[in-house]
Amino acid sequence: MQPLVEGRPWGGVTLPVGETRTGEWGTLRLILRRTAGELWIQQQRSPEPTDPDQGDWMRFAVPADGAVSIRPAMPDRMLVVSHEHRYHLPPRRDANVYVRIPLFVQIVMAHRRLDTVLLDLPSIVLSDTWWGSFTEGEVAYWLSTSARAAVDDTLFLPHVGMCPLRLVNESTTSLPVERFALQVAHLSLFSDGKRNWTDEVQVRYEDSPDGSEIRYGDEPPAEAGPADLLASPRVRAGRRLHVRTFDRLRSLSSLGL
């Protein structure tokens, strides 16, 4: 079978009627087959490939002149991230960290200026977790990859977006940085052709009931250099919003998570 997208992980798929093609992102393997009036899609998970004829197909009725593409997207839930090394951020100080975000893979059918997402799948299966207290919170993904203080080229993969995060402690007390919540649905994704970056996120902690102030850069971070927009945010938001990012950490710790 031929690859879905020639020479790159994302983009348009040339899939003539009667042909089958495959692609891989993280642990996700996708097999696409085109018939006269349908698009057949099968998903598998690494490590062992299986015979497509032995697997289950999802069949979508699609227009004959519709164009298929593979697009990246941010995860559809908040991420709960641990830091590589636990530390305390003193009052009026800031720190930079980097978070590797496993991307979702979207199969999109474009027809008459209308894009329809047929499937929206994680490149890596993420674990469910709870961010909040016993009485208040939301379901999130637990990210097994830790936040880091520095990055190098070995950490960049086609199915991963690197998020630069600036933590600012504007409270009068020391802030323990162990785990924090990251609202990834509002992030854009950029690419320089080899590396994927999100816009920079600044988290300003003030020990307020309204939570931390989150600021989104809305452009490629300085570390990325020249980069093009690869994917828009799942959910458009203002450049600033308030979200409980650190203060629920105490609730998570009390739950033993």
Side-chain angles (χ1 to χ4, degrees):
M1 288 182 287
Q2 298 185 51
L4 277 175
V5 185
E6 293 286 351
R8 59 192 192 282
W10 316 103
V13 176
T14 302
L15 189 61
V17 172
E19 290 197 7
T20 301
R21 297 196 174 181
T22 185
E24 294 188 14
W25 299 262
T27 62
L28 174 67
R29 180 180 298 107
L30 289 175
I31 304 168
L32 272 63
R33 180 177 296 172
R34 192 74 179 260
T35 67
E38 294 181 335
L39 179 65
W40 293 22
I41 304 174
Q42 184 177 138
Q43 59 171 306
Q44 300 178 2
R45 288 287 170 182
S46 297
E48 295 298 331
T50 58
D51 185 349
D53 292 330
Q54 304 299 317
D56 296 326
W57 293 91
M58 298 183 66
R59 298 168 58 174
F60 296 86
V62 297
D65 57 345
V68 181
S69 62
I70 306 295
R71 300 181 187 176
M74 285 291 125
D76 56 358
R77 295 184 200 164
M78 172 193 297
L79 293 181
V80 176
V81 185
S82 64
H83 197 276
E84 186 177 22
H85 305 289
R86 297 182 179 183
Y87 67 96
H88 285 76
L89 188 61
R92 313 303 178 188
R93 296 292 301 273
D94 59 72
N96 294 325
V97 297
Y98 297 88
V99 180
R100 293 205 314 167
I101 301 175
L103 301 174
F104 272 48
V105 179
Q106 295 183 338
I107 303 176
V108 181
M109 174 63 66
H111 184 246
R112 296 180 181 176
R113 300 184 179 179
L114 177 64
D115 290 354
T116 302
V117 178
L118 303 180
L119 286 178
D120 190 2
L121 305 167
S123 59
I124 295 175
V125 177
L126 299 172
S127 300
D128 295 332
T129 191
W130 179 255
W131 182 245
S133 65
F134 286 105
T135 59
E136 181 186 6
E138 62 181 280
V139 178
Y141 291 124
W142 169 252
L143 191 61
S144 58
T145 300
S146 300
R148 293 172 167 83
V151 295
D152 57 55
D153 286 346
T154 62
L155 298 175
F156 289 87
L157 296 169
H159 64 281
V160 167
M162 189 70 70
C163 177
L165 192 67
R166 180 181 294 275
L167 307 180
V168 182
N169 183 7
E170 295 194 343
S171 73
T172 58
T173 60
S174 182
L175 173 65
V177 180
E178 300 177 21
R179 304 177 193 176
F180 51 87
L182 185 56
Q183 297 278 355
V184 296
H186 306 310
L187 292 173
S188 300
L189 185 67
F190 303 90
S191 176
D192 63 4
K194 296 181 180 180
R195 304 177 301 171
N196 301 325
W197 291 88
T198 75
D199 37 339
E200 182 183 81
V201 181
Q202 187 179 103
V203 181
R204 307 180 73 86
Y205 178 74
E206 299 175 343
D207 199 14
S208 166
D210 294 332
S212 304
E213 182 187 73
I214 313 297
R215 300 181 182 180
Y216 294 94
D218 203 29
E219 61 184 7
E223 298 95 325
D228 297 321
L229 180 67
L230 190 59
S232 298
R234 275 187 182 270
V235 181
R236 290 283 184 183
R239 294 188 64 181
R240 297 186 185 185
L241 69 155
H242 283 81
V243 179
R244 295 182 183 272
T245 303
F246 292 105
D247 46 351
R248 295 191 181 194
L249 176 62
R250 301 183 183 92
S251 297
L252 270 174
S253 298
S254 67
L255 290 170
L257 298 176

